[in-house]
Amino acid sequence: MKKLMLTALLAVISASVSASGFPVTVDNCGQPMTFTQAPKRMVVQDINMSEMAFELHLQPEMVGVSGITGWYKNIPSFIRLQGSIPEISPKYPSMETLLAVKPDLFFAGWNYGLRGDVTPKALAKFNIKTLILTESCVHVDTHRPRASMDLLYGDMERLGTVFGKQEDAVTLVNSWKKQVADLKAKITGYKPLRVFLYDSGVDKPYTSGAYAMPTAIIEAAGGKNVMDTLNNSWVNANWESVAATEPEFIILMDYQSGYNGGADGLKLFLEQHPLMKNTPAVLHHRYLKLKYQEMTPGPANIAAINKLARALYPAAFQ
C-alpha cells in the first residue's frame, strides 16, 4: 500500500512539473537561453518593456524598473500599474544599482539599459540572466531582418514563455494582430505616404532606420519610412537626405519632459529650417505627436498604428 501511495505521489509531482512547461528555451539575439523555472526577481528597463511586463501581470515577479522618470513626466496609468515596484534608477542603472536588488533577470536591450559595464556577460557572472529586446539585437548582430511587427509580437510571446504565461501572451498577440489587420483592411488601395520620424537633434536629426520599430509601425499604418534606406536601427541622419525624400507626413516624438522643447519645439524648428520648411509635410502642417513608448517596442504600438493610420488617411475612417 505504501509503495502504491509513493508511486501515486511521484506521478502527481511528475505531472505538476510537466504541466509547468519548464524547462523552456527561447532565442536571445540568436543565442538559446534556457530557464528551468520562471524568474522571481526581474528588473525591467524603460517604459515600453515595463508595459510589456504589465500586460502579462508580472508585477509580483518585478523587484524594480529603471529609465522612467529621467525622461518622462508622471503617467498616471503607468504609476497605477507600477504600484509598489521601486524605480531603481531614473535613467540607466549601474551594475551596483542592479546588484543591490538581487535580480535573477534583467529585461533590457542594447542602448536600452545595456551599456558600459552593464552587459549580459557581466551580469551572468552574478547568475543574472539578461532577456534582450529583439529590436536592439542589430547592435551586436548585423544580419537581422528589417523591422516588422514581429519585433513586438515575438518579444511578448517570448516573455510569456519565460514566465509560464505563453497562452496569455499568444491570446494577447492574436488580438493585436486582428486589430492591425482590421486597420489595414480600411486603408487598402491608398498610396503609401512618405513619413519621417523626428526624434530629436538639431545639427543632425535622430530618427529610425530600417531596423527600428517605427519602420514597422509606419508600414502597418500604410505609410513608408523615408529613412528605411539606412541599414541601422535608431540612428543620426542628415537634413539634406531627409529633405530630399520630400516627406509628406512627420511624426514628432513627444518626450513629455520638455526635452528638446518637446514635440512643439521640434515642429517650430522644422518650420524654420532652410531645407525642411519647404517639404510637403511642413508646408501643409501634417504632423502627429507620438510618445516614446508608442514608437519603441511595446503594447502602445497598437494604439500608435491606429492614430497614425487615421492621421495619414482620414478619408478611410469617415
Side-chain angles (χ1 to χ4, degrees), residues 179-180 182-184 186-187 190 193 195 217-218 220-223 249 251 286-288 290 302-318:
Q179 291 177 59
V180 172
D182 289 346
L183 272 175
K184 282 190 174 182
K186 286 183 177 292
I187 58 178
Y190 283 84
L193 294 181
V195 181
I217 292 169
I218 291 167
F249 197 92
I251 298 170
R286 299 206 69 190
Y287 306 101
L288 178 65
L290 289 174
I302 307 304
I305 294 167
N306 188 3
K307 292 177 186 178
L308 183 56
R310 290 173 180 274
L312 291 174
Y313 312 106
F317 296 90
Q318 291 178 354

Side-chain angles (χ1 to χ4, degrees), residues 247-258:
E248 299 166 283
F249 197 92
I250 296 175
I251 298 170
L252 302 170
M253 192 79 94
D254 185 6
Y255 278 95
Q256 304 162 270
S257 62

Side-chain angles (χ1 to χ4, degrees), residues 250-317:
I250 296 175
I251 298 170
L252 302 170
M253 192 79 94
D254 185 6
Y255 278 95
Q256 304 162 270
S257 62
Y259 171 68
N260 229 31
D264 290 334
L266 298 179
K267 177 182 174 183
L268 180 62
F269 174 79
L270 291 173
E271 292 178 344
Q272 296 175 345
H273 192 276
L275 296 176
M276 293 302 295
K277 68 181 181 181
N278 295 315
T279 60
V282 178
L283 286 171
H284 299 288
H285 309 290
R286 299 206 69 190
Y287 306 101
L288 178 65
K289 301 176 186 178
L290 289 174
K291 297 179 176 62
Y292 173 89
Q293 61 267 36
E294 293 178 301
M295 299 307 290
T296 51
N301 295 161
I302 307 304
I305 294 167
N306 188 3
K307 292 177 186 178
L308 183 56
R310 290 173 180 274
L312 291 174
Y313 312 106
F317 296 90

